[in-house]
Amino acid sequence: MSHTVRTRFAPSPTGFLHVGGIRTALFAWLVARQAGGTFILRLEDTDKAREVEGSGQHIQDSLRALGLEWDEGVGKPDGGGPHGPYIQSQRLASYKLWAEKLIAAGRAYADPYTPAEVQAFREQAQAARQPFLYRNHRPGPDANGNLPAWDGSTALRFKSDPKDYQWHDEVMGDLHAGDEAIDDFILMKSDGYPTYNFAHIVDDAEMEVTHVIRGQEFVSSTPNYLNLYEALGILPGQGRPLLATMPHILGPDGKKKLSKRDGAKDVLDYIRDGFLPETLVNFIASMGWNDGSEQEIFSIDELVQKFSLAKVQKSGARFDEQRLLWMNGAHIRSLDLDTLYTLCQAPYDYWPPEATDYPEEYRRQILGLVQERLKFFKELPELTRFFFVDLPVDPELISGHKQLKKVEPAELKELLARSRTALETSDFSVDDLTHKLNDLLEQTGQKPAVLFSLIRIASTQAPSSPGLADTLAVLGKERSLQRIDRQLESL
Ligand code: GLU
């Protein structure tokens, strides 16, 4: 496999990384890792008005939290690598040099129009029901045959060479566009910064990027990029990167594009809530990619082995938080207890505050019991609090219970009293408790949904718990019987 693969993630520091951004980063990382290549992080900060302070750092923290370490770029030692700087606002000299090359070749010119004049052209085109093309208003050469010279105080435009294009996208397949897609776009703005359209082409060329993996918003501009590549002599097989366009991420309904209301959060928030990095990576990879089998749970190593751009789907991928919860549960179940125990205490402590008074061994037992049902670590207090605190008797647990609400209180009381007597004779080992509980079931002729629910509610005061015998064994005899007594008093 080629070792020259170089991919990059090139976010703009304009806010937190949404799942779409992370997916682009992840796929670029996977392509690089699979080929033993290089993954680059570059910050595209040429739109100063949209920049959000701290966002560059946040992006780095998010990638690191997911284990998507980069080899070159922002935040790496020694200037980030051999092609630095990796922050666009620090690369202005490069853009200027490339702009001058285009000017010298007669392929760029100073934009002579004010914004109001351009607006007037646009309105003319609209009135004539024609698409607005700036190149229809391209200024003519002067008496010496020169295009308007550029002194940096105005925008610099590309002098395009309109033509039809067909190109291959590693995900979307063969695409084409007519010459109406090509226009004289801005290379350098009058504020001295390059546009994205220009800067990314310069950077990808200087950084020897082999794969440009990015979102769909750039497809309609791709013919312009191809035209500029040609003007720069960057041709397919001779430095022009492969293009791969990611499918949209859709909301849970599978129709509209994902919005914040659909529950997609900052990945660092997911991590703080106790989602495992390996789940997030698995989940994000699954939005638009599968290996063609039924497999849904992938380790990061498996993804590195099996990922391919060719298997990324063209159509939109659904963001489904329920699936994320299920996946995290599956990853949590696959952890050994030591790892799970460590992850529940650091870097965040997820235990309910009362747990600090209890020995490690007790907490580990509890964790072993709830591991099966834990979907994210922040749920831990809700699932385990009753192991640490005697919760007050909650009458609604019985009055709101599907089965128990149909039974007369006197009968419930008698059932619970009989249960207490039976449990009193138990040594509270799981085996013995299981025995005693099954005997009780037979003797009382009750359904487990009645008898076991009653004992469970009495001994936990929680709407759910791990298996009854396991729960009672961990709570211990004294505490369990005390709690049953309190419930009896209230019935
Ligand atoms: N800065 C662009 C963005 O954040 C990057 C697009 C690209 O990867 O080329 O959308």
PDB file of all heavy atoms in Angstrom, residues 8-12 24 42 44 196 200 204 212-215 217-218, ligand 1:
ATOM      1  N   ARG A   8      -6.160  15.610   4.846  1.00  0.00           N
ATOM      2  CA  ARG A   8      -6.187  16.716   5.798  1.00  0.00           C
ATOM      3  C   ARG A   8      -7.610  16.960   6.260  1.00  0.00           C
ATOM      4  O   ARG A   8      -8.587  16.647   5.579  1.00  0.00           O
ATOM      5  CB  ARG A   8      -5.541  17.954   5.224  1.00  0.00           C
ATOM      6  CG  ARG A   8      -6.158  18.813   4.122  1.00  0.00           C
ATOM      7  CD  ARG A   8      -7.321  18.354   3.392  1.00  0.00           C
ATOM      8  NE  ARG A   8      -7.775  19.285   2.376  1.00  0.00           N
ATOM      9  CZ  ARG A   8      -9.012  19.802   2.326  1.00  0.00           C
ATOM     10  NH1 ARG A   8      -9.919  19.474   3.216  1.00  0.00           N
ATOM     11  NH2 ARG A   8      -9.353  20.611   1.346  1.00  0.00           N
ATOM     12  N   PHE A   9      -7.697  17.525   7.473  1.00  0.00           N
ATOM     13  CA  PHE A   9      -8.957  18.049   7.964  1.00  0.00           C
ATOM     14  C   PHE A   9      -8.720  19.537   8.090  1.00  0.00           C
ATOM     15  O   PHE A   9      -7.715  19.950   8.668  1.00  0.00           O
ATOM     16  CB  PHE A   9      -9.311  17.409   9.309  1.00  0.00           C
ATOM     17  CG  PHE A   9     -10.584  17.931   9.905  1.00  0.00           C
ATOM     18  CD1 PHE A   9     -11.751  18.016   9.136  1.00  0.00           C
ATOM     19  CD2 PHE A   9     -10.640  18.329  11.232  1.00  0.00           C
ATOM     20  CE1 PHE A   9     -12.929  18.495   9.695  1.00  0.00           C
ATOM     21  CE2 PHE A   9     -11.815  18.801  11.788  1.00  0.00           C
ATOM     22  CZ  PHE A   9     -12.965  18.883  11.024  1.00  0.00           C
ATOM     23  N   ALA A  10      -9.620  20.321   7.502  1.00  0.00           N
ATOM     24  CA  ALA A  10      -9.348  21.755   7.379  1.00  0.00           C
ATOM     25  C   ALA A  10     -10.518  22.593   7.871  1.00  0.00           C
ATOM     26  O   ALA A  10     -11.142  23.312   7.106  1.00  0.00           O
ATOM     27  CB  ALA A  10      -9.031  22.078   5.916  1.00  0.00           C
ATOM     28  N   PRO A  11     -10.839  22.476   9.146  1.00  0.00           N
ATOM     29  CA  PRO A  11     -12.014  23.206   9.641  1.00  0.00           C
ATOM     30  C   PRO A  11     -11.756  24.705   9.742  1.00  0.00           C
ATOM     31  O   PRO A  11     -10.610  25.140   9.846  1.00  0.00           O
ATOM     32  CB  PRO A  11     -12.210  22.621  11.040  1.00  0.00           C
ATOM     33  CG  PRO A  11     -10.837  22.240  11.474  1.00  0.00           C
ATOM     34  CD  PRO A  11     -10.141  21.766  10.227  1.00  0.00           C
ATOM     35  N   SER A  12     -12.855  25.456   9.708  1.00  0.00           N
ATOM     36  CA  SER A  12     -12.779  26.879  10.008  1.00  0.00           C
ATOM     37  C   SER A  12     -13.108  27.034  11.488  1.00  0.00           C
ATOM     38  O   SER A  12     -14.050  26.406  11.968  1.00  0.00           O
ATOM     39  CB  SER A  12     -13.796  27.642   9.167  1.00  0.00           C
ATOM     40  OG  SER A  12     -13.520  27.414   7.801  1.00  0.00           O
ATOM     41  N   THR A  24     -16.085  14.077   8.779  1.00  0.00           N
ATOM     42  CA  THR A  24     -15.107  14.384   7.743  1.00  0.00           C
ATOM     43  C   THR A  24     -13.689  14.127   8.265  1.00  0.00           C
ATOM     44  O   THR A  24     -12.864  13.515   7.590  1.00  0.00           O
ATOM     45  CB  THR A  24     -15.246  15.866   7.320  1.00  0.00           C
ATOM     46  OG1 THR A  24     -16.579  16.066   6.860  1.00  0.00           O
ATOM     47  CG2 THR A  24     -14.271  16.236   6.241  1.00  0.00           C
ATOM     48  N   ARG A  42      -5.328  21.484   9.535  1.00  0.00           N
ATOM     49  CA  ARG A  42      -5.074  22.848   9.078  1.00  0.00           C
ATOM     50  C   ARG A  42      -6.256  23.724   9.471  1.00  0.00           C
ATOM     51  O   ARG A  42      -7.405  23.318   9.312  1.00  0.00           O
ATOM     52  CB  ARG A  42      -4.944  22.810   7.551  1.00  0.00           C
ATOM     53  CG  ARG A  42      -4.795  24.163   6.912  1.00  0.00           C
ATOM     54  CD  ARG A  42      -4.494  24.013   5.435  1.00  0.00           C
ATOM     55  NE  ARG A  42      -5.685  23.845   4.622  1.00  0.00           N
ATOM     56  CZ  ARG A  42      -5.768  23.059   3.551  1.00  0.00           C
ATOM     57  NH1 ARG A  42      -4.738  22.321   3.181  1.00  0.00           N
ATOM     58  NH2 ARG A  42      -6.885  22.974   2.861  1.00  0.00           N
ATOM     59  N   GLU A  44      -8.552  26.906   8.812  1.00  0.00           N
ATOM     60  CA  GLU A  44      -8.891  27.824   7.720  1.00  0.00           C
ATOM     61  C   GLU A  44      -9.589  29.040   8.314  1.00  0.00           C
ATOM     62  O   GLU A  44     -10.806  29.088   8.447  1.00  0.00           O
ATOM     63  CB  GLU A  44      -9.759  27.089   6.699  1.00  0.00           C
ATOM     64  CG  GLU A  44      -9.046  25.829   6.201  1.00  0.00           C
ATOM     65  CD  GLU A  44      -9.425  25.414   4.792  1.00  0.00           C
ATOM     66  OE1 GLU A  44     -10.593  25.543   4.424  1.00  0.00           O
ATOM     67  OE2 GLU A  44      -8.518  24.955   4.063  1.00  0.00           O
ATOM     68  N   TYR A 196     -11.611  31.080   0.657  1.00  0.00           N
ATOM     69  CA  TYR A 196     -11.461  29.630   0.811  1.00  0.00           C
ATOM     70  C   TYR A 196     -11.149  28.995  -0.540  1.00  0.00           C
ATOM     71  O   TYR A 196     -10.261  28.133  -0.652  1.00  0.00           O
ATOM     72  CB  TYR A 196     -12.751  29.021   1.392  1.00  0.00           C
ATOM     73  CG  TYR A 196     -12.804  27.525   1.180  1.00  0.00           C
ATOM     74  CD1 TYR A 196     -12.050  26.670   1.992  1.00  0.00           C
ATOM     75  CD2 TYR A 196     -13.543  26.963   0.139  1.00  0.00           C
ATOM     76  CE1 TYR A 196     -12.048  25.305   1.765  1.00  0.00           C
ATOM     77  CE2 TYR A 196     -13.540  25.605  -0.094  1.00  0.00           C
ATOM     78  CZ  TYR A 196     -12.794  24.775   0.723  1.00  0.00           C
ATOM     79  OH  TYR A 196     -12.782  23.438   0.495  1.00  0.00           O
ATOM     80  N   HIS A 200      -7.514  27.053  -0.200  1.00  0.00           N
ATOM     81  CA  HIS A 200      -7.420  25.599   0.020  1.00  0.00           C
ATOM     82  C   HIS A 200      -6.659  24.938  -1.126  1.00  0.00           C
ATOM     83  O   HIS A 200      -5.987  23.921  -0.929  1.00  0.00           O
ATOM     84  CB  HIS A 200      -8.812  24.982   0.238  1.00  0.00           C
ATOM     85  CG  HIS A 200      -9.553  24.600  -1.003  1.00  0.00           C
ATOM     86  ND1 HIS A 200     -10.314  25.485  -1.723  1.00  0.00           N
ATOM     87  CD2 HIS A 200      -9.655  23.413  -1.648  1.00  0.00           C
ATOM     88  CE1 HIS A 200     -10.855  24.861  -2.762  1.00  0.00           C
ATOM     89  NE2 HIS A 200     -10.472  23.607  -2.729  1.00  0.00           N
ATOM     90  N   ASP A 204      -3.464  22.836  -0.277  1.00  0.00           N
ATOM     91  CA  ASP A 204      -3.452  21.404  -0.603  1.00  0.00           C
ATOM     92  C   ASP A 204      -2.270  21.084  -1.509  1.00  0.00           C
ATOM     93  O   ASP A 204      -1.646  20.032  -1.382  1.00  0.00           O
ATOM     94  CB  ASP A 204      -4.776  20.984  -1.262  1.00  0.00           C
ATOM     95  CG  ASP A 204      -5.928  20.954  -0.256  1.00  0.00           C
ATOM     96  OD1 ASP A 204      -5.641  20.901   0.963  1.00  0.00           O
ATOM     97  OD2 ASP A 204      -7.098  20.994  -0.675  1.00  0.00           O
ATOM     98  N   VAL A 212      -8.854  15.092  -0.937  1.00  0.00           N
ATOM     99  CA  VAL A 212      -9.660  16.153  -0.331  1.00  0.00           C
ATOM    100  C   VAL A 212     -11.015  15.547   0.020  1.00  0.00           C
ATOM    101  O   VAL A 212     -11.790  15.183  -0.856  1.00  0.00           O
ATOM    102  CB  VAL A 212      -9.818  17.342  -1.300  1.00  0.00           C
ATOM    103  CG1 VAL A 212     -10.896  18.298  -0.809  1.00  0.00           C
ATOM    104  CG2 VAL A 212      -8.482  18.072  -1.458  1.00  0.00           C
ATOM    105  N   ILE A 213     -11.249  15.413   1.322  1.00  0.00           N
ATOM    106  CA  ILE A 213     -12.487  14.790   1.795  1.00  0.00           C
ATOM    107  C   ILE A 213     -13.275  15.890   2.489  1.00  0.00           C
ATOM    108  O   ILE A 213     -12.771  16.488   3.443  1.00  0.00           O
ATOM    109  CB  ILE A 213     -12.135  13.638   2.771  1.00  0.00           C
ATOM    110  CG1 ILE A 213     -11.303  12.592   2.014  1.00  0.00           C
ATOM    111  CG2 ILE A 213     -13.396  13.038   3.381  1.00  0.00           C
ATOM    112  CD1 ILE A 213     -10.665  11.542   2.912  1.00  0.00           C
ATOM    113  N   ARG A 214     -14.468  16.195   2.004  1.00  0.00           N
ATOM    114  CA  ARG A 214     -15.186  17.334   2.580  1.00  0.00           C
ATOM    115  C   ARG A 214     -16.679  17.227   2.303  1.00  0.00           C
ATOM    116  O   ARG A 214     -17.139  16.312   1.627  1.00  0.00           O
ATOM    117  CB  ARG A 214     -14.617  18.643   2.023  1.00  0.00           C
ATOM    118  CG  ARG A 214     -14.825  18.806   0.545  1.00  0.00           C
ATOM    119  CD  ARG A 214     -14.159  20.073   0.003  1.00  0.00           C
ATOM    120  NE  ARG A 214     -13.997  19.946  -1.440  1.00  0.00           N
ATOM    121  CZ  ARG A 214     -13.200  20.691  -2.182  1.00  0.00           C
ATOM    122  NH1 ARG A 214     -12.466  21.630  -1.614  1.00  0.00           N
ATOM    123  NH2 ARG A 214     -13.115  20.503  -3.476  1.00  0.00           N
ATOM    124  N   GLY A 215     -17.417  18.209   2.827  1.00  0.00           N
ATOM    125  CA  GLY A 215     -18.879  18.181   2.759  1.00  0.00           C
ATOM    126  C   GLY A 215     -19.421  18.566   1.384  1.00  0.00           C
ATOM    127  O   GLY A 215     -18.688  19.006   0.494  1.00  0.00           O
ATOM    128  N   GLU A 217     -21.275  20.960   0.437  1.00  0.00           N
ATOM    129  CA  GLU A 217     -21.455  22.363   0.059  1.00  0.00           C
ATOM    130  C   GLU A 217     -20.428  22.808  -0.978  1.00  0.00           C
ATOM    131  O   GLU A 217     -20.546  23.884  -1.539  1.00  0.00           O
ATOM    132  CB  GLU A 217     -21.442  23.271   1.298  1.00  0.00           C
ATOM    133  CG  GLU A 217     -20.194  23.228   2.154  1.00  0.00           C
ATOM    134  CD  GLU A 217     -20.232  22.132   3.237  1.00  0.00           C
ATOM    135  OE1 GLU A 217     -20.738  21.024   2.961  1.00  0.00           O
ATOM    136  OE2 GLU A 217     -19.726  22.392   4.343  1.00  0.00           O
ATOM    137  N   PHE A 218     -19.413  21.979  -1.216  1.00  0.00           N
ATOM    138  CA  PHE A 218     -18.363  22.394  -2.161  1.00  0.00           C
ATOM    139  C   PHE A 218     -18.515  21.784  -3.550  1.00  0.00           C
ATOM    140  O   PHE A 218     -17.757  22.112  -4.459  1.00  0.00           O
ATOM    141  CB  PHE A 218     -16.981  22.072  -1.575  1.00  0.00           C
ATOM    142  CG  PHE A 218     -16.778  22.731  -0.236  1.00  0.00           C
ATOM    143  CD1 PHE A 218     -16.907  22.014   0.941  1.00  0.00           C
ATOM    144  CD2 PHE A 218     -16.514  24.094  -0.158  1.00  0.00           C
ATOM    145  CE1 PHE A 218     -16.760  22.635   2.176  1.00  0.00           C
ATOM    146  CE2 PHE A 218     -16.368  24.723   1.073  1.00  0.00           C
ATOM    147  CZ  PHE A 218     -16.491  23.995   2.234  1.00  0.00           C
TER     148      PHE A 218
HETATM  149  N1  GLU B   1     -12.798  25.296   5.884  1.00  0.00           N
HETATM  150  C1  GLU B   1     -13.729  24.496   5.151  1.00  0.00           C
HETATM  151  C2  GLU B   1     -14.875  24.130   6.085  1.00  0.00           C
HETATM  152  O1  GLU B   1     -14.725  24.218   7.266  1.00  0.00           O
HETATM  153  C3  GLU B   1     -12.994  23.245   4.735  1.00  0.00           C
HETATM  154  C4  GLU B   1     -13.495  22.569   3.536  1.00  0.00           C
HETATM  155  C5  GLU B   1     -12.412  21.594   3.064  1.00  0.00           C
HETATM  156  O2  GLU B   1     -12.206  20.601   3.747  1.00  0.00           O
HETATM  157  O3  GLU B   1     -11.770  21.875   2.042  1.00  0.00           O
HETATM  158  O4  GLU B   1     -15.932  23.776   5.638  1.00  0.00           O
END
